[in-house]
Amino acid sequence: MENCPFCSIVKGTGDVSLVFEDTWTMAFIPLQPIYAGACIVIPKPHIDHFTDIPDELAAKVMITAQRVGRKIREVYKPLRVGMVVHGFGVHHAHLNLIPQYDPLDITYKHLAYIEAGEVKFAPKELPTPSRAELDEMARSLRIEHG
Ligand SMILES: [Zn+2]
């Protein structure tokens, strides 16, 4: 799909710090990883809602997420690897793999604050590593196909 940053990555025209790729899926480091080792897993076809991914492709996405999750555990040694699908931001279905060192890490709790009685988040507080640093994270998790 035009103007979709994840489709650009799939087509090879967008910058990416690639962790894994096979025929149907890709895994890469987000531009603002909440922790080192955070990863995004996508199906290659442009599908907006993850609930619309066909069964066989959904299984492939989950298998990639598990493989990458095992590698995150091996390299970064979090207590758990969690997964979030919020569906906002890029409208191309994606799973966010989150290394967790605390039960509330999945909620991005260290970015939360209360203003006028509402819980808000400060995404500007997310780290913004350089491309070289993102590439280094990707290298640490890289899984060759097969
Ligand atoms: Zn797309």
Side-chain angles (χ1 to χ4, degrees):
M1 187 184 192
E2 264 180 63
N3 300 322
C4 171
F6 291 174
C7 285
S8 298
I9 288 171
V10 171
K11 280 187 289 192
T13 57
D15 276 348
V16 68
S17 298
L18 188 68
V19 170
F20 177 78
E21 176 175 16
D22 63 14
T23 307
W24 293 101
T25 69
M26 288 180 99
F28 51 86
I29 306 293
L31 293 177
Q32 292 189 293
I34 187 157
Y35 296 114
C39 251
I40 289 175
V41 179
I42 62 167
K44 284 186 172 176
H46 183 88
I47 297 167
D48 182 355
H49 296 269
F50 94 96
T51 50
D52 292 336
I53 302 173
D55 290 359
E56 279 187 30
L57 181 55
K60 292 176 193 313
V61 170
M62 182 58 77
I63 289 165
T64 295
Q66 288 181 312
R67 292 178 78 173
V68 174
R70 284 193 291 270
K71 191 75 181 204
I72 293 169
R73 288 175 61 200
E74 179 189 319
V75 173
Y76 290 95
K77 314 256 188 274
L79 295 174
R80 296 273 167 178
V81 174
M83 195 168 65
V84 173
V85 179
H86 52 68
F88 292 101
V90 177
H91 289 195
H92 180 134
H94 57 288
L95 311 182
N96 296 281
L97 298 182
I98 314 289
Q100 300 173 96
Y101 303 88
D102 177 280
L104 292 179
D105 280 346
I106 200 79
T107 66
Y108 292 24
K109 67 165 184 181
H110 61 285
L111 302 179
Y113 62 96
I114 294 177
E115 186 179 280
E118 283 185 38
V119 177
K120 301 203 170 186
F121 293 88
K124 65 182 184 305
E125 302 297 328
L126 279 168
T128 50
S130 67
R131 179 56 69 187
E133 291 168 318
L134 294 171
D135 286 346
E136 185 50 42
M137 280 182 225
R139 226 183 332 273
S140 75
L141 294 175
R142 187 151 303 138
I143 300 169
E144 298 308 322
H145 182 50

